[in-house]
Amino acid sequence: MLSSAITQYLTTQGLQILVATGQTLQMVFLSVIFSYIFGLPLGIILVTTSPGHILENKTFNQILGAIINAARSLPFIILLVVIIPFTRFLVGSSIGTLAATVPLTVSAIPFVARMVETSLKEVEWGIIEAALAMGATPWQIISKVLLPESLSSLILGATITTITLIGYSAMAGFVGGGGIGDLAMRYGFYRYQLNILLACVVILIVMVQVIQMLGEKLASLVNKK
Amino acid sequence: MIEIKELKKIYGHGKNKVVALDGIDLNIKPGEIFGIIGLSGAGKSTLIRCLNMLEKPTKGKVIIDGFDLTSLSGDQLRSVRRRIGMIFQHFNLLWSRTVADNIAFPLEIAGEKDKGKIEARVNELLDLVDLSDKANAYPAQLSGGQKQRVGIARALANNPKVLLCDEATSALDPQTTGSILELLANINKKLGITMVIITHEMAVIKAICDKVAVIEDGKIVESGPVFDLFTNPHTKTARRFISTINSTELPDVILERQKISRGHSKLIRISFIGSSAGEPIISDMIQKFNIKANILYGNIDHIKNNIFGTLTVQLIGADSNTSQALTYLEGLGLKVEVINVE
Ligand SMILES: Nc1ncnc2c1ncn2[C@@H]1O[C@H](COP(=O)(O)OP(=O)(O)O)[C@@H](O)[C@H]1O
Ligand SMILES: [Mg+2]
C-alpha cells in the first residue's frame, strides 16, 4: 500500500519532470533553429557590408548594426510581453510551449547575428583576397570561403547560443511555456518541494554539460587548422 | 603581355595621404620572368595588387593580354581574373579543404561542374608540383614549401597566361626558396607563362628573372635585363641590392696593406663580362709593361650562362708603366677603376 503510493507519487513527479524536459528541449531547439535561419544571414550581411569587405556598404551596415544593438538591449522579460500580439498572430495563441518559442527566437536573432559576425571575421583576409584574385563572386566567397572556413567557430557559437537559450527558456513559464525552469519555479520555489527543485537543477546541469561537450567535440572534428 | 601606363595609387586623403605608386610605366613581354625589387614600403605589393585590381589604381592603365583591367568591373573583371594566377607570401590556402580540394577551388569558381574533369586536372597539377602523395592532406599538415607548391598548383589550375608572385618565397628558408624558384622556372619554361615576381631579395631576381625593375618610393628607378643590372648598375639602390649577394668591397686588411706599400703601386678593380674572363689578360699585361701584378681579391659569377666578375689587383711598377697598363686594359673593353685608399 505504502510502497505503491510512493511509486505513484514518484511516477507523477517523474512524468512531470519528463514532460518538462521535453518542453525545454522543444523550445530551445526550435528557437535555435529559427534564430539561425534569420540570424545567420544577418551576420553574413553584417560582415560582408562592413568597410573594406566584399559588399561594402557603410550606411546600410551602420543602420543594420544599430537595429541589432537596439534589439539586443531590450530585456527579455519585456520582449516576452510586448511581443504577445505578434506571437498570437504567428502561432494562433500566446500561451504554451510553441508560443514561448517566438519571443525566445526573436530575442536570439540579434545575438546570433553578432555571434556569426564574430566567427566570420576570424577568416583571414588573405584567403578572401586569394578567392577574389581567382575571380570569385561575392556569393561564392560566402558559400565556399567564409562559411566553411569558420564552421568550427560557428558551431561553438551555436553551442553558446543553445546554452543561453536554455537559461532564457526558464522564463517561458510566464507565458505558460512550461519546461524545466518553470517546473523548478512552481514546485521548488512556490511549494518548497526541494527534491523536485534538485532534480530540475541536476537535469539543467546535465543538459548544459552535454550540449557543451557535443559542441566542442563537433567543433574540433571539423577544425582542420 | 602586360602593359602598365602611368600607374598611380594614392591611399587615404588629406593629412593621411600616401602616394604608394607615383607614375609607373612597365612593359612585360609574353613568357618573360619579370622581377620587381625594392625595400619594404617601396610599393611592390601595391603594384602587383594593381595588376589584378585587388587594389584599384588612382590613375593610369593596366593592360593584360589585351584587356584594359582598369575599365572592367563585375563579371568582366572576374572573367579576366580567372586567367591571372596569383601566389602569396603566406600562401592563403583554405584550411578547411584538402590539398586536392584547394587545387579544385579555382576550377569550381570558374564554374566547372564535371567532377571527373576536375579530378583529372587536379591530378595533373599535383603531379606538376610533385605533391601527389599529399592529395588528401590538409594545409595545416604541410611544410611551408609544400604549402607554396599547393599555392602554385592552385594558381595554375585555370591555365592562366600570367602568374603574379607577391614575395612568394619570403616566408621560406633558403633551401626551400631554391626549390620553389626552380619549380617556377620549370613552369615558365614548360608552359610559357609570363611571371611577375615581387621580392626584396636580390638572390631571387638573380636566380630566375630575365628582366628586373628596381622600385623606390613608388617609382621605377632602374629597369632592364638582370645581367645588365648586375654588371652595370646605375643607381645607388641597385648597387646596394647587388652588394647583398656579390660583395665588391675590399676587406679592411687589404686596404691597410696598400696604404703601407703605396709608393709606386696602384690598386685597381677590373670588371669583366663574358668571354674576356677566359683570356690571359693579366699575364699579357705583365709582360707588355714590365710591371708586377698582385691579385688581391676576385669573384666570378654567372646569370643564365653569362659570366661576369671583378678582380682587384695591385699593380707595382713605375707610374708611367702602370698608367699604360690601365689604358691597355680599357682598350680591351674592360671596366677599370683605380681605388683610392685614402
Ligand atoms: N591599404 C593601405 N592603406 C594605406 N596605406 C597603405 C596601404 N597599403 C600600403 N600602404 C602604404 O603604401 C606604401 C607602399 O606599401 P606596399 O605596397 O605594401 O610596399 P611593399 O610591398 O614594397 O613593402 C607604404 O608606405 C604603405 O604604408
Ligand atoms: Mg609587400
Side-chain angles (χ1 to χ4, degrees):
Chain A
M1 277 287 276
L2 187 68
S3 76
S4 83
I6 290 174
T7 319
Q8 202 195 346
Y9 173 78
L10 281 180
T11 44
T12 7
Q13 303 282 302
L15 207 65
Q16 275 186 314
I17 291 177
L18 208 67
V19 168
T21 306
Q23 288 169 332
T24 295
L25 289 176
Q26 189 193 345
M27 280 188 285
V28 170
F29 283 108
L30 282 179
S31 51
V32 166
I33 288 167
F34 284 115
S35 61
Y36 268 86
I37 289 177
F38 297 98
L40 185 66
L42 282 175
I44 292 169
I45 293 170
L46 265 181
V47 170
T48 52
T49 59
S50 67
H53 220 285
I54 53 171
L55 295 170
E56 176 170 0
N57 188 331
K58 207 171 163 193
T59 328
F60 180 80
N61 187 267
Q62 278 173 347
I63 293 172
L64 183 62
I67 293 173
I68 285 172
N69 286 345
R72 285 196 67 189
S73 57
L74 200 67
F76 180 65
I77 203 82
I78 291 176
L79 181 84
L80 205 56
V81 179
V82 168
I83 210 169
I84 284 176
F86 179 63
T87 306
R88 196 174 288 139
F89 164 76
L90 223 57
V91 296
S93 154
S94 61
I95 299 285
T97 308
L98 203 58
T101 309
V102 178
L104 280 173
T105 302
V106 170
S107 77
I109 288 171
F111 181 75
V112 168
R114 288 293 184 200
M115 289 300 252
V116 169
E117 180 193 22
T118 309
S119 296
L120 298 190
K121 272 189 177 163
E122 288 166 18
V123 177
E124 295 152 63
W125 180 249
I127 298 178
I128 298 166
E129 208 157 59
L132 282 173
M134 286 173 210
T137 61
W139 174 245
Q140 285 174 324
I141 288 178
I142 291 166
S143 62
K144 289 177 184 286
V145 179
L146 287 177
L147 293 176
E149 285 293 295
S150 60
L151 186 58
S152 174
S153 172
L154 285 171
I155 290 171
L156 288 178
T159 308
I160 295 173
T161 306
T162 309
I163 289 171
T164 307
L165 279 171
I166 289 175
Y168 278 20
S169 74
M171 286 184 256
F174 281 100
V175 290
I180 291 282
D182 180 49
L183 191 69
M185 286 289 277
R186 278 191 287 130
Y187 285 81
F189 191 68
Y190 296 125
R191 296 196 207 164
Y192 214 65
Q193 292 189 1
L194 279 185
N195 54 347
I196 292 201
L197 180 67
L198 199 69
C200 290
V201 169
V202 168
I203 287 174
L204 283 174
I205 289 174
V206 169
M207 222 182 251
V208 168
Q209 295 284 355
V210 168
I211 288 168
Q212 182 69 34
M213 202 190 67
L214 285 179
E216 280 174 14
K217 192 113 192 165
L218 197 60
S220 83
L221 209 66
V222 301
N223 185 12
K224 305 293 181 190
K225 196 166 173 176
Chain B
M1 176 61 65
I2 304 176
E3 225 180 308
I4 303 167
K5 285 184 188 165
E6 291 169 39
L7 193 67
K8 260 198 175 190
K9 175 71 193 184
I10 297 169
Y11 289 113
H13 28 71
K15 232 176 136 191
N16 301 321
K17 190 166 122 172
V18 178
V19 182
L21 296 177
D22 193 6
I24 303 275
D25 287 285
L26 281 176
N27 213 323
I28 300 172
K29 298 209 170 67
E32 222 164 47
I33 304 186
F34 197 101
I36 296 170
I37 190 166
L39 296 170
S40 173
K44 305 182 294 292
S45 297
T46 306
L47 175 54
I48 202 163
R49 291 158 52 80
C50 279
L51 296 188
N52 58 2
M53 299 293 125
L54 281 180
E55 213 68 77
K56 263 245 166 292
T58 314
K59 240 186 185 169
K61 277 192 191 325
V62 174
I63 300 163
I64 296 184
D65 198 21
F67 292 95
D68 178 3
L69 271 73
T70 41
S71 70
L72 301 179
S73 62
D75 277 340
Q76 285 179 314
L77 177 60
R78 281 191 278 271
S79 90
V80 175
R81 276 176 172 172
R82 281 167 199 168
R83 276 179 285 160
I84 304 172
M86 189 169 196
I87 57 175
F88 305 86
Q89 178 174 7
H90 298 294
F91 324 121
N92 296 345
L93 302 177
L94 291 144
W95 299 101
S96 60
R97 286 184 174 228
T98 61
V99 166
D101 289 344
N102 261 288
I103 300 173
F105 183 61
L107 300 170
E108 292 172 25
I109 295 293
E112 181 59 69
K113 296 263 166 18
D114 186 335
K115 287 250 161 66
K117 265 192 194 163
I118 290 182
E119 200 187 316
R121 180 72 182 135
V122 167
N123 286 335
E124 217 173 272
L125 289 157
L126 281 169
D127 195 42
L128 179 72
V129 299
D130 202 15
L131 273 182
S132 300
D133 55 329
K134 296 283 182 196
N136 296 315
Y138 285 91
Q141 300 165 315
L142 303 180
S143 70
Q146 290 170 329
K147 282 190 198 129
Q148 196 57 293
R149 281 169 189 273
V150 180
I152 292 170
R154 182 177 75 170
L156 297 177
N158 282 322
N159 293 308
K161 296 200 163 173
V162 171
L163 182 66
L164 308 175
C165 314
D166 187 3
E167 302 271 9
T169 57
S170 298
L172 305 174
D173 62 71
Q175 212 171 334
T176 315
T177 295
S179 78
I180 293 294
L181 293 177
E182 204 176 309
L183 175 64
L184 287 175
N186 282 339
I187 288 167
N188 170 259
K189 214 185 282 171
K190 227 192 246 175
L191 309 173
I193 297 177
T194 311
M195 295 185 179
V196 181
I197 298 196
I198 292 283
T199 184
H200 64 271
E201 292 173 303
M202 204 59 188
V204 171
I205 300 286
K206 191 182 156 203
I208 63 163
C209 295
D210 303 309
K211 294 239 182 92
V212 60
V214 180
I215 185 170
E216 195 173 9
D217 290 332
K219 291 193 186 80
I220 303 290
V221 293
E222 186 162 356
S223 77
V226 175
F227 190 73
D228 293 0
L229 185 86
F230 269 88
T231 52
N232 194 14
H234 292 295
T235 57
K236 205 169 151 199
T237 317
R239 274 193 286 274
R240 205 167 320 133
F241 275 121
I242 293 167
S243 73
T244 57
I245 51 170
N246 282 343
S247 169
T248 50
E249 298 291 309
L250 277 184
D252 284 344
V253 258
I254 291 179
L255 285 175
E256 283 305 314
R257 214 186 298 158
Q258 173 65 13
K259 270 184 197 164
I260 295 163
S261 71
R262 230 167 30 175
H264 45 274
S265 80
K266 273 198 178 79
L267 194 62
I268 62 167
R269 178 160 48 224
I270 308 166
S271 306
F272 54 90
I273 296 174
S275 62
S276 58
E279 289 164 15
I281 297 165
I282 300 294
S283 66
D284 282 358
M285 176 186 75
I286 291 169
Q287 283 173 5
K288 274 199 171 112
F289 303 102
N290 187 30
I291 53 174
K292 286 180 187 160
N294 187 9
I295 297 175
L296 299 175
Y297 193 77
N299 66 41
I300 188 158
D301 210 337
H302 62 95
I303 292 173
K304 301 204 170 165
N305 300 325
N306 287 318
I307 296 168
F308 67 99
T310 65
L311 198 59
T312 304
V313 184
Q314 185 186 30
L315 300 181
I316 303 163
D319 267 357
S320 60
N321 291 3
T322 51
S323 297
Q324 279 178 344
L326 292 185
T327 318
Y328 167 72
L329 292 176
E330 277 164 353
L332 292 173
L334 297 171
K335 202 172 128 198
V336 184
E337 288 168 83
V338 178
I339 299 168
N340 202 340
V341 290
E342 249 102 9

